[in-house]
Amino acid sequence: MWSWRHETRAAYAFVERNVHLVKRYWGWEVVWLIYSIANALSVTFIGAGMERISGQRVDTQHLILYLLTGTLVWGYLSVVFTLVSETIQWERWEGTIEYTLMAPISRFTHLVGTTLFSLLYGFLQTAVILAAVAACFHLDLSGANLLGAAGVLLAASLSFSALGMVGAVLPLLYPEKGVQVVQVIQSLLLVISGVYYPVDVLPRALCWLSQFSPATYVLQGMRAALLDGAPLRQLWPCILALLLLGMLLMPLGVWLFGKAERYARRTGRLKRDG
Amino acid sequence: MSEPTTWALRVAAVSKTFRPFRWPWQANAPVQDGVRHDTAEGRSGPVCALDKVSLQVRRGEIFGVLGPNGSGKSTLIRVIATLVLPDSGSVEVLGLDLARHELEIRRLINRVSVEASFFKKLSPLENLLFGARLYGLPANRARQEALGILRRLGLREASLWQPMEQMSRGMQQKVAIARALLTAPVLLLLDEPTTGLDPRSKREVQGLVEALRRDHHATVILTTHDMLEADALCDRVAIIDAGRIVAEGTPAELKQRVASTTGGSPPTLEDVFLALTGHSLQSADEAASEDAVESSDVVLAP
């Protein structure tokens, strides 16, 4: 009898397979981690240099932590979003897409498996970057609510994964250019979510749009937890907003993916190209 | 009334036409200032891959689908494998209608394609374990069975844990068949499994297909454009040309049908193909290749 146990096993298959792939590509993983740390450092050094840039006194530690939070959240979002949304492109490149899509599992299970791995990977990478940058700048995180920050990031995972599923639709529909469009979506999120600045400095239209981006709430929550050490009860509004967005986006992502897969099967676009 | 105990597969009047994607503004602007403003997509028209294809395959049979490149063999396999939706017609696997029981049918079938569909950086064992989990096998059992099958196929112990990219194509294809065997499919779809293999690897894979029926009682649909292979392996064959089934029967029956056209020499399946389609398999393959080249030869606007 086919059961939830089979589906769980199948979801775990994607986690296990991707862990094996990470082990095989370990050299590239190290390169990617160095790039991510360098990227985070280059942004946070803006905070370190702000007094010299502006000629004014600023709270450098606060600014560094503000920018670091942005770069951590952006890094996490990028990893989750990219891993989920590029799962189709990756499998198409490897030539395994048809094998995976004809497996006797629900598409929800497939996407959940891919998402679970991306969350684990994203969390691990974010923790390593935080540790590296904190060590570099001798940041004092004793007053930060690290557990609360992790909780906010966890709550955001649902909606980030759902956004990834929406993004995964594009390479399915447009094998050649779909991934580039995903990057465009990612950059739009970067602009409207206040990754490196408060959203109220944005023009009114963009500021209005920012309320629909899960990244806006995760940044608010993370900054409150890391910069002000806000306790959990103060973080709840952000966590609730993130969970609500996640609950709306997740069914939408799965539904859209199902529709796109059907279109791809009707038009013969699953076939490997290149 | 279907007879699931007798027929493993019933395909009835399945048609499929692929239409190139066009943006709304592309449809009515083929010529401007006397110059064709074509793109690779815009120039090629609809392609009829399957035209009212019907066939029935008994349980335990090895059924060959023969045809040149571009004749519709792979599209037919993809339709049965739930990877392409037909425009019309119906497919039944063990009495289950494909349109209504897609997930159930996926549990009963597996497919080996012409390209080895693996994560090349992963080892054969890792690839097989991934496949086994997707088909609901518990990890320990999957590992034991995978190891057993891979060893029976003659894989050296060390290569079980080495990346697939270090293996020959013939060996990769044997691993692909092993992966399919691991899920114990009732219906196995082999889409040109020996194309591009050297003679020795080809013989090994063909031996494996024979063992499939002998030891696993699986029903096999084998697409190929190798007439000798079809003659040696298949109980019955269908010849497909330009999306249509032009003949169906045992190799002996088909050869008998064209015996009078070969001038006394014993007919081959190649003769059958020539007599029934009006062109040889080789020339049809060449024509398909030329079409592919032409369709990529686009005229660009200045």
Side-chain angles (χ1 to χ4, degrees), chain A residues 1-261:
Chain A
M1 184 74 185
W2 207 260
S3 63
W4 65 269
R5 196 178 291 177
H6 288 106
E7 295 289 329
T8 311
R9 212 171 265 153
Y12 178 70
F14 290 95
V15 178
E16 186 184 53
R17 181 197 69 186
N18 289 356
V19 168
H20 284 145
L21 282 169
V22 166
K23 281 196 286 186
R24 298 280 180 182
Y25 284 104
W26 70 268
W28 288 113
E29 295 300 331
V30 172
V31 169
W32 181 244
L33 191 62
I34 291 170
Y35 166 79
S36 302
I37 292 172
N39 200 30
L41 283 172
S42 69
V43 172
T44 40
F45 268 118
I46 296 172
M50 190 47 78
E51 282 195 355
R52 289 196 195 174
I53 295 168
S54 65
Q56 315 250 323
R57 279 200 68 77
V58 290
D59 184 347
T60 305
Q61 280 286 305
H62 184 88
L63 189 55
I64 286 174
L65 210 48
Y66 186 95
L67 292 170
L68 175 62
T69 311
T71 196
L72 286 178
V73 170
W74 184 243
Y76 181 72
L77 186 148
S78 299
V79 165
V80 174
F81 193 73
T82 306
L83 282 178
V84 178
S85 64
E86 287 188 1
T87 181
I88 290 298
Q89 194 68 4
W90 193 12
E91 292 229 29
R92 194 177 260 135
W93 179 71
E94 289 275 6
T96 55
I97 186 168
E98 290 191 323
Y99 185 79
T100 303
L101 292 185
M102 69 172 278
I105 54 166
S106 72
R107 199 53 60 223
F108 181 72
T109 302
H110 176 186
L111 293 171
V112 163
T114 308
T115 299
L116 275 176
F117 170 78
S118 71
L119 297 180
L120 289 171
Y121 185 95
F123 248 90
L124 202 63
Q125 183 178 288
T126 306
V128 172
I129 295 172
L130 176 62
V133 179
C136 188
F137 286 100
H138 307 294
L139 292 176
D140 180 14
L141 294 171
S142 58
N145 179 2
L146 289 173
L147 213 59
V152 173
L153 206 57
L154 202 62
S157 303
L158 194 65
S159 36
F160 283 2
S161 310
L163 280 175
M165 289 178 195
V166 174
V169 166
L170 293 162
L172 200 57
L173 295 180
Y174 308 106
E176 288 161 3
K177 297 289 176 191
V179 169
Q180 283 89 326
V181 182
V182 170
Q183 286 163 354
V184 171
I185 295 175
Q186 224 172 325
S187 61
L188 290 176
L189 281 175
L190 176 68
V191 172
I192 65 166
S193 305
V195 175
Y196 301 120
Y197 40 79
V199 287
D200 46 25
V201 304
L202 290 168
R204 191 178 294 172
L206 293 181
C207 191
W208 180 80
L209 278 177
S210 72
Q211 66 187 313
F212 300 107
S213 165
T216 304
Y217 302 99
V218 73
L219 284 159
Q220 281 174 7
M222 289 272 286
R223 282 181 176 136
L226 290 177
L227 273 72
D228 309 327
L232 195 60
R233 63 187 154 74
Q234 283 180 27
L235 301 176
W236 266 118
C238 289
I239 291 175
L240 279 177
L242 286 167
L243 291 176
L244 188 68
L245 273 172
M247 282 188 286
L248 288 172
L249 287 170
M250 186 59 84
L252 178 73
V254 175
W255 180 78
L256 272 177
F257 194 94
K259 287 281 173 197
E261 184 186 342

Side-chain angles (χ1 to χ4, degrees), chain A residues 2 6 9 13 16-17 20-21 24-25 94-96 98-99 101-102 104-105 265-266 269 271, chain B residues 16 21 78 82-85 102 107 111 117 119-121 126 130 133 135-137 161 179:
Chain A
W2 207 260
H6 288 106
R9 212 171 265 153
E16 186 184 53
R17 181 197 69 186
H20 284 145
L21 282 169
R24 298 280 180 182
Y25 284 104
E94 289 275 6
T96 55
E98 290 191 323
Y99 185 79
L101 292 185
M102 69 172 278
I105 54 166
R265 286 168 55 201
R266 193 160 50 77
R269 287 179 184 228
K271 197 178 166 186
Chain B
K16 181 70 201 173
F21 176 81
R78 283 194 168 88
T82 75
L83 293 167
V84 166
L85 292 173
E102 198 174 270
R107 286 173 203 146
R111 168 176 173 252
S117 309
F119 279 87
K120 311 289 186 301
K121 283 278 178 201
E126 287 165 344
F130 172 63
R133 282 192 196 277
Y135 282 76
L137 267 71
W161 286 273
R179 181 175 60 179

Side-chain angles (χ1 to χ4, degrees), chain B:
Chain B
M1 183 80 182
S2 63
E3 299 168 47
T5 52
T6 307
W7 300 108
L9 174 70
R10 301 178 91 169
V11 177
V14 165
S15 293
K16 181 70 201 173
T17 298
F18 292 109
R19 292 177 174 80
F21 176 81
R22 288 169 199 269
W23 295 101
W25 57 85
Q26 285 180 316
N28 297 318
V31 177
Q32 201 173 57
D33 303 329
V35 179
R36 281 186 64 144
H37 288 254
D38 283 348
T39 63
E41 275 188 337
R43 185 174 178 181
S44 54
V47 176
C48 178
L50 297 174
D51 187 4
K52 296 193 179 98
V53 168
S54 297
L55 51 91
Q56 298 186 328
V57 181
R58 292 187 195 90
R59 292 191 77 165
E61 249 186 337
I62 296 183
F63 187 89
V65 180
L66 314 184
N69 292 333
S71 60
K73 302 186 300 291
S74 293
T75 303
L76 177 62
I77 290 291
R78 283 194 168 88
V79 168
I80 301 166
T82 75
L83 293 167
V84 166
L85 292 173
D87 297 334
S88 59
S90 67
V91 177
E92 274 183 25
V93 176
L94 291 174
L96 294 169
D97 181 9
L98 193 74
R100 287 184 293 140
H101 301 281
E102 198 174 270
L103 208 57
E104 290 93 326
I105 287 175
R106 284 178 178 174
R107 286 173 203 146
L108 300 172
I109 63 176
N110 212 314
R111 168 176 173 252
V112 176
S113 59
V114 62
E115 313 105 350
S117 309
F118 290 109
F119 279 87
K120 311 289 186 301
K121 283 278 178 201
L122 297 186
S123 70
L125 194 59
E126 287 165 344
N127 270 298
L128 261 62
L129 283 178
F130 172 63
R133 282 192 196 277
L134 291 186
Y135 282 76
L137 267 71
N140 285 340
R141 203 183 113 199
R143 181 177 285 269
Q144 280 174 3
E145 289 190 17
L147 280 170
I149 293 172
L150 289 170
R151 282 174 184 144
R152 277 207 304 279
L153 289 179
L155 261 77
R156 286 179 298 108
E157 199 71 19
S159 64
L160 298 178
W161 286 273
Q162 283 171 356
M164 293 278 299
E165 64 188 1
Q166 294 176 11
M167 302 174 86
S168 68
R169 256 212 74 214
M171 200 50 91
Q172 287 185 12
Q173 207 60 326
K174 284 166 79 174
V175 175
I177 294 177
R179 181 175 60 179
L181 283 179
L182 192 59
T183 65
V186 180
L187 177 63
L188 184 57
L189 308 169
L190 300 178
D191 191 5
E192 299 190 35
T194 59
T195 298
L197 298 188
D198 62 75
R200 185 182 163 187
S201 300
K202 203 169 190 171
R203 273 202 301 278
E204 285 176 350
V205 170
Q206 287 168 350
L208 209 54
V209 175
E210 282 175 325
L212 268 175
R213 181 176 47 183
R214 195 177 57 236
D215 305 333
H216 296 269
H217 312 290
T219 306
V220 178
I221 311 291
L222 171 75
T223 74
T224 181
H225 49 189
D226 183 334
M227 298 291 173
L228 292 173
E229 177 175 281
D231 207 352
L233 290 176
C234 300
D235 300 308
R236 287 192 304 134
V237 295
I239 292 179
I240 187 168
D241 186 40
R244 289 182 178 206
I245 301 279
V246 293
E248 189 187 328
T250 64
E253 282 170 357
L254 293 178
K255 285 188 270 188
Q256 185 61 39
R257 277 171 64 176
V258 300
S260 60
T261 63
T262 56
S265 59
T268 62
L269 280 179
E270 179 76 43
D271 296 324
V272 175
F273 189 85
L274 182 65
L276 295 174
T277 64
H279 50 83
S280 72
L281 190 65
Q282 195 182 356
S283 66
D285 274 345
E286 283 166 5
S289 304
E290 280 168 19
D291 281 350
V293 171
E294 270 183 28
S295 68
S296 64
D297 182 20
V298 295
V299 180
L300 296 174

